[in-house]
Amino acid sequence: MNFIEELTWRGMIHSVMPGTEEQLNKEMTTAYLGIDPTADSLHIGHLVGVMMLKHLQRAGHKPIALVGGATGMIGDPSMKSQERKLIDEETLRHNQEAIKRQLARFLDFDSDAPNAAELVNNYDWMKNFSFLEFIRDIGKHITVNYMMAKDSVKKRLSGESREGMSFTEFSYQLLQGYDFLHLYQTRGCRLQLGGSDQWGNMTTGTELIRRKTGEENVFAITCPLITKADGGKFGKTESGNVWLDPRYTSPYKFYQFWLNVSDADAEKYIKIFTSLPKEEIDELVAQQAADPGQRPLQKRLAREITIMVHSEDDYNAAVEASSILFSNKAGEILHRIDEDTLLAVFEGVPTFEVNLSDIEAGVKIADLLVDLAPVFPSKGELRKLAQGGGFAINKEKVSDPYAPVSTDMLLNGKYILVQKGKKNYNLLIAK
């Protein structure tokens, strides 16, 4: 597999330094990508870079994932208008371990293959570097003029922010440049991968290696920053980032994010975020064009990436949960799904708290839904709806509104789903 050709047809290349393809065709090449460790989970904005590493390893080259423990303490000024908060070492180490577990779903770290992936943390080689050593051994090789010419610096200095840029952030590109130099000297790394906003920092690295060692054969590849077809920011929802960790974004919500992307975005994303071959993607694109209503691109994209990030069981559970609103087995499914998925499926529906003791005592349905939780304004309205077949508890139709409630009705031991008509839902929470 030709790495450059693979990334090109997938739409994953923004800039390539001259000579990069020749280097990759010549020998197994070690390449690294920096990952910001400011959280203990990656989000889908990180996935483009992670997929670059995955394709690199598939092409027979050696990937290094660099967790920016040192640079993460400072914060990259690129595309930012304010400095970030600093993080302590204990938090960084925790975040590093969490990130490695997630990366292991994409990269082979554990085999004895010569191109097995490695995870490194630049804090390990920066923590004992004194300031005097750094400005003497590294700083003297890069001029202020060179650093000032970078877009990330120029934009920040000419921006509307009155705070300007601190020396700490100004020095960021030197630190990132030193990472490349260190990995070149200790691991023979000749290629850096990153987003297009990193180009200035990355070329500082190649320049530092050239000036410090005389070596010319070091390279950089950037991928475009991913956007949505409507111009909106990729990976952001109303509730914030879409995370890979199920504690922050449930597998159901993760699956739903990909399932609901637009047709134009699905065609772009399936190339970037899966390893499906070109022929298979072309066939899915043709199917989508012939019958857009079936949405084969979104379904396959959501399947591939949910299994890759979570598991096949999580994917199957998400598909099953997605069918609750129209499945004839909805009652069974409701009793099987976990609490997070249940709350995600019915996010935003009105909720009412009731006493668990009332349910244990066998309160009548009508008393529960009129007197204890005002789901219905009157028992007459509830009775009328039940007689017409429009009232259900946990997706099971109820004809007798005066039947007792039992603890068997509780989903996950605490919820009861009440349905009025076809689309009107309420959720009772028993405490």
Side-chain angles (χ1 to χ4, degrees), residues 355-424:
N355 290 322
L356 178 60
S357 57
D358 290 325
I359 292 171
E360 290 171 338
V363 65
K364 292 177 181 176
I365 292 173
D367 293 335
L368 177 68
L369 299 182
V370 177
D371 299 334
L372 304 181
V375 175
F376 288 89
S378 70
K379 293 176 183 176
E381 185 174 319
L382 169 55
R383 187 171 60 250
K384 187 177 177 183
L385 193 65
Q387 288 170 350
F391 169 57
I393 288 180
N394 299 337
K395 297 295 284 186
E396 305 282 355
K397 286 191 177 180
V398 177
S399 57
D400 180 8
Y402 294 100
V405 177
S406 75
T407 53
D408 291 343
M409 292 180 177
L410 293 173
L411 307 172
N412 288 283
K414 63 193 289 193
Y415 301 101
I416 294 176
L417 182 70
V418 180
Q419 184 177 357
K420 300 157 55 178
K422 284 189 176 180
K423 296 182 179 179
N424 194 336

Side-chain angles (χ1 to χ4, degrees), residues 90-139:
E90 184 182 354
T91 303
L92 284 166
R93 294 297 182 191
H94 165 75
N95 293 355
Q96 175 184 335
E97 288 306 309
I99 288 168
K100 183 173 182 180
R101 286 194 296 273
Q102 292 180 336
L103 289 174
R105 297 195 65 85
F106 298 83
L107 302 171
D108 167 22
F109 285 98
D110 299 323
S111 78
D112 54 4
N115 70 328
E118 288 185 50
L119 185 83
V120 297
N121 187 333
N122 60 11
Y123 185 75
D124 292 331
W125 57 80
M126 289 304 304
K127 63 184 176 184
N128 296 321
F129 215 151
S130 78
F131 179 68
L132 286 176
E133 283 179 303
F134 189 79
I135 59 173
R136 182 192 65 198
D137 295 343
I138 306 303

Side-chain angles (χ1 to χ4, degrees), residues 208-270:
L208 181 60
I209 293 170
R210 187 183 70 77
R211 296 188 185 186
K212 181 85 171 156
T213 70
E215 177 60 65
E216 301 278 352
N217 292 321
V218 285
F219 308 96
I221 299 174
T222 63
C223 59
L225 298 179
I226 305 303
T227 56
K228 294 198 293 187
D230 63 7
K233 190 167 184 180
F234 167 73
K236 289 279 189 181
T237 65
E238 289 181 10
S239 54
N241 284 322
V242 179
W243 299 92
L244 273 55
D245 191 312
R247 292 175 302 159
Y248 305 135
T249 300
S250 69
Y252 170 80
K253 278 192 171 181
F254 186 86
Y255 166 78
Q256 285 288 325
F257 173 83
W258 300 102
L259 190 66
N260 290 314
V261 301
S262 70
D263 289 359
D265 286 334
E267 185 172 343
K268 179 168 72 169
Y269 295 166
I270 200 165

Side-chain angles (χ1 to χ4, degrees), residues 170-183:
F170 182 60
S171 65
Y172 185 93
Q173 61 175 289
L174 269 185
L175 292 174
Q176 185 168 329
Y178 179 71
D179 287 342
F180 201 171
L181 172 64
H182 178 83
L183 291 176

